[in-house]
Amino acid sequence: MTPQPGESAARVGPPADIKAVPVHHPGRWLAAVVVLVLAAMLAHSLVTNPRFEWNVVWSYFLSGRVLAGLRVTILLTVVCMAIGIVLGVILAVMRLSENPLLSGSSWVYIWFFRGTPVLVQLLVWFNLAFLYPKISFGVPFGPSWLTGNANSLITPLTAAILGLGLNEGAYMAEIVRAGILSVEHGQSEAAQALGMSRAMTLRRIILPQAMRVIIPPTGNETISMLKTSSLASVITVTELLYAVQLIYSVNFKTIPLLIVASIWYLIVTSVLTVIQYYVERHYARGSARELPPTPRQRIWRYLTTFHTPPPAPVLAPPGTERR
Amino acid sequence: MVLAEGVYKSFGRLEVLRGIDLTVQRQEVVCIIGPSGSGKSTLLRCINHLEKINAGRLSVDGELVGYREQAGRLHELREREVSAKRAEIGMVFQQFNLFPHMTVLDNVIEAPTRVKKIPRSEAVELAGQLLDQTGMKEKSSAYPKQLSGGQQQRVAIARALAMRPKLMLFDEPTSALDPELVGEVLAVMRDLATSGMTMVVVTHEMGFAREVGDTLIFMDDGVVVETGRPQQVLASPEHERTRAFLSKVL
């Protein structure tokens, strides 16, 4: 006899959970023990090895010269990434253009700047005065209005910004291009069918959707830029690494000062990671049915809700399954 | 409203349209049926210049699509002029193609505010009416991903109507929908036809074509095989190819 649909209402509450003996994982326990022992060894050495000289580390950690270096590092990262992103968008759009001259020149730019080491590019910008002692602005092949000495125009900091920024543009171009290509073709068709121009379609429809693909690698690039900016030390820009180098070249506290720099790099990287999480969340609008909670919301929810078990799945009463 | 004479289109060596003649009167509903690959969708896309025709003449509302005729020569239109023409033709796609990063309301007001540059408040009011008309008013602040296929397609119709088009093109609007959702979209299209909109509908819904269509066109292999009153073509087709196709789908 098949029960009538109405009968199932009489059932009280969800059925009891299945009780079973769980599978054992001895390998996991072994791995945990190994990791813990290694971590203990590392911690022990950090604390007991006097050559780490933690007192020196902390005495320089907030010193004026280190903080000044940190400021230059952050400035370089922000300015060079800004140049890189703007250049990257322009180069990516050029690369995807139907005009062969535009896409060709974009291709050559990317080929050149990706194909030579960034350290070499920095050195070339730094030594630009050998190549062009005078820099002037004016009509091409015609009169010039403004002429300057390359040595005074290209300071170490400008050389670093130019070198790192222009190089970054080549990498960002490929990231932005990948993002644009990831947006379905139907999107630009729908926009064009509504009478939107190509530029408006790119700005309003394509780029906002491409952002979801562009943001994660851009976060990566920013963190990478933070560390690559230390290369500017070879052209005498007193960023974080060069600042501590200048200190330890006098007092020979090499390792403690390198630890100071490393801790600062780690701190800034952590901050950038948090920023990236929120930017990604912003551009996830519409891609998921519901936005993921922020860490703060997650903690808040954990603190304010009692640990109620998740609602039992609604089971169709026997005999009424859909065929 | 639409006049096609010997329209020819090929992708490389593949001939998709091989001389199409077609007339769509104002307020007429023309349904195009035919096997896949017969060129139905391509013809629709040529009408709003998403595809360029290789030969023949195609005009909408008395004006050539994509060209201007001056002193007996054809001049290609600038992008801005093409866009302006497209803005007068609404198009509904098989895959809806709503903008996923915008709410339903923003999808509908995007083109009126950006392309036609009408004030936002006015656009919102018009969008409200259209979403009401398509039964999607309550979902104004939802994102497309939160809607069923049928709901998305109804929003897409409202979005196209928001530009106040003089012609609506439907490219298999119900082909990507679950069977139980087809009806709600067809109902909206039926209302639209009743209100006097000129429509060209590529479809596999023979019932819709019979009830709503004024003219039925059967296309196969890039040519128009048969044209006539839907009831007549569906009940007693003249050509063997039409008969063979209908025997498979009816």
Side-chain angles (χ1 to χ4, degrees):
Chain A
M1 195 190 93
T2 44
Q4 295 302 305
E7 275 178 39
S8 62
R11 196 162 53 102
V12 245
D17 289 348
I18 292 173
K19 288 203 173 55
V21 180
V23 176
H24 292 288
H25 299 283
R28 285 187 198 173
W29 286 102
L30 190 69
V33 169
V34 171
V35 169
L36 280 178
V37 168
L38 287 174
M41 282 165 70
L42 181 66
H44 180 255
S45 121
L46 282 176
V47 174
T48 57
N49 186 343
R51 288 180 211 173
F52 276 109
E53 296 184 87
W54 288 104
N55 56 328
V56 179
V57 170
W58 301 129
S59 70
Y60 279 103
F61 190 64
L62 292 171
S63 79
R65 291 167 75 187
V66 170
L67 290 184
L70 178 67
R71 262 198 299 278
V72 175
T73 289
I74 292 175
L75 173 90
L76 268 180
T77 308
V78 171
V79 173
C80 294
M81 277 314 290
I83 294 174
I85 290 170
V86 171
L87 255 180
V89 173
I90 295 171
L91 286 167
V93 172
M94 280 169 67
R95 183 80 198 277
L96 294 170
S97 157
E98 283 166 19
N99 184 332
L101 188 68
L102 287 183
S103 68
S105 40
S106 167
W107 186 88
V108 169
Y109 181 99
I110 294 168
W111 169 77
F112 182 79
F113 281 90
R114 247 183 8 175
T116 52
V118 66
L119 184 54
V120 174
Q121 290 173 31
L122 282 174
L123 289 169
V124 169
W125 283 111
F126 185 57
N127 293 304
L128 195 70
F130 284 118
L131 206 54
Y132 300 105
K134 292 223 180 310
I135 295 174
S136 49
F137 299 91
V139 184
F141 307 108
S144 62
W145 301 309
L146 202 69
T147 304
N149 195 331
N151 255 333
S152 54
L153 225 60
I154 308 270
T155 63
L157 189 65
T158 353
I161 289 174
L162 282 172
L164 295 173
L166 297 186
N167 182 70
E168 187 57 33
Y171 285 92
M172 283 306 301
E174 291 295 277
I175 292 173
V176 174
R177 189 168 71 99
I180 291 175
L181 291 178
S182 76
V183 179
E184 249 186 288
H185 186 59
Q187 290 290 311
S188 60
E189 258 181 12
Q192 284 178 350
L194 285 165
M196 294 171 79
S197 68
R198 237 175 294 170
M200 192 188 286
T201 303
L202 184 74
R203 193 163 44 85
R204 297 285 307 169
I205 309 299
I206 306 298
L207 278 182
Q209 294 184 57
M211 286 309 257
R212 280 191 45 237
V213 173
I214 293 174
I215 296 289
T218 303
N220 233 357
E221 287 294 308
T222 311
I223 288 168
S224 166
M225 174 64 79
L226 176 77
K227 294 172 297 172
T228 312
S229 68
S230 62
L231 286 181
S233 60
V234 298
I235 57 170
T236 73
V237 177
T238 28
E239 42 67 67
L240 186 52
L241 179 63
Y242 197 50
V244 302
Q245 279 177 333
L246 286 176
I247 300 172
Y248 72 63
S249 65
V250 176
N251 66 10
F252 301 109
K253 304 280 187 196
T254 309
I255 291 293
L257 279 154
L258 287 177
I259 291 176
V260 169
S262 302
I263 294 175
W264 274 119
Y265 281 122
L266 277 173
I267 290 174
V268 181
T269 305
S270 311
V271 172
L272 289 175
T273 309
V274 172
I275 295 174
Q276 182 185 346
Y277 178 85
Y278 281 94
V279 176
E280 269 179 37
R281 195 172 171 276
H282 173 78
Y283 282 104
R285 272 174 318 171
S287 68
R289 287 180 177 226
E290 208 178 322
L291 284 179
T294 64
R296 244 179 69 195
Q297 289 172 337
R298 224 175 280 170
I299 292 169
W300 185 244
R301 214 174 285 176
Y302 181 77
L303 290 175
T304 52
T305 50
F306 297 102
H307 285 271
T308 47
V314 183
L315 296 171
T320 60
E321 299 100 5
R322 270 210 289 173
R323 259 170 268 261
Chain B
M1 180 61 85
V2 181
L3 183 64
E5 295 164 297
V7 167
Y8 180 92
K9 168 77 191 169
S10 67
F11 294 107
R13 292 177 60 189
L14 181 70
E15 296 176 305
V16 184
L17 301 177
R18 303 184 301 144
I20 299 279
D21 297 313
L22 170 82
T23 318
V24 181
Q25 303 295 338
R26 204 171 288 272
Q27 304 208 331
E28 189 181 7
V29 176
V30 173
C31 293
I32 305 178
I33 61 169
S36 58
S38 58
K40 309 169 301 238
S41 292
T42 307
L43 175 62
L44 214 57
R45 293 158 58 81
C46 287
I47 294 176
N48 71 353
H49 208 45
L50 283 175
E51 303 287 356
K52 249 187 195 168
I53 62 174
N54 300 115
R57 282 172 75 91
L58 181 59
S59 62
V60 173
D61 210 12
E63 291 179 46
L64 282 182
V65 173
Y67 301 95
R68 183 181 46 233
E69 198 162 29
Q70 236 167 24
R73 286 196 62 180
L74 292 183
H75 298 256
E76 271 188 17
L77 291 184
R78 295 177 175 283
E79 192 204 342
R80 190 148 28 103
E81 297 166 313
V82 173
S83 293
K85 292 271 180 68
R86 285 194 187 125
E88 298 174 341
I89 303 172
M91 182 150 187
V92 174
F93 299 87
Q94 183 178 354
Q95 297 296 340
F96 330 130
N97 293 346
L98 290 179
F99 305 134
H101 58 302
M102 296 181 180
T103 62
V104 164
L105 182 69
D106 287 337
N107 262 281
V108 179
I109 67 171
E110 176 70 13
T113 53
R114 302 274 163 180
V115 178
K116 276 185 161 178
K117 309 226 187 295
I118 70 172
R120 199 189 140 85
S121 56
E122 216 175 288
V124 170
E125 202 187 311
L126 173 63
Q129 283 172 25
L130 293 169
L131 288 171
D132 201 24
Q133 194 181 319
T134 53
M136 292 301 299
K137 188 80 186 277
E138 291 80 57
K139 298 283 186 183
S140 290
S141 55
Y143 283 97
K145 279 269 165 64
Q146 299 165 326
L147 305 177
S148 73
Q151 291 173 324
Q152 288 192 50
Q153 195 61 297
R154 287 188 277 153
V155 173
I157 294 173
R159 177 176 72 174
L161 290 175
M163 290 299 279
R164 295 255 176 250
K166 48 190 181 188
L167 167 69
M168 283 285 282
L169 307 174
F170 293 85
D171 188 3
E172 302 196 24
T174 58
S175 296
L177 298 178
D178 288 342
E180 76 265 31
L181 303 177
V182 169
E184 60 189 64
V185 172
L186 292 182
V188 169
M189 289 168 62
R190 188 172 294 135
D191 289 347
L192 198 57
T194 316
S195 75
M197 175 63 77
T198 313
M199 293 161 60
V200 180
V201 185
V202 170
T203 187
H204 293 297
E205 296 294 327
M206 301 303 159
F208 177 83
R210 184 185 300 126
E211 288 164 39
V212 184
D214 299 308
T215 306
L216 185 67
I217 292 177
F218 173 68
M219 272 179 74
D220 191 14
D221 205 15
V223 291
V224 172
V225 177
E226 191 161 348
T227 307
R229 309 274 314 156
Q231 295 84 346
Q232 198 182 335
V233 175
L234 290 173
S236 50
E238 282 176 18
H239 290 76
E240 186 49 46
R241 270 145 91 193
T242 318
R243 217 168 297 152
F245 174 75
L246 288 176
S247 71
K248 274 182 232 154
V249 296
L250 284 180

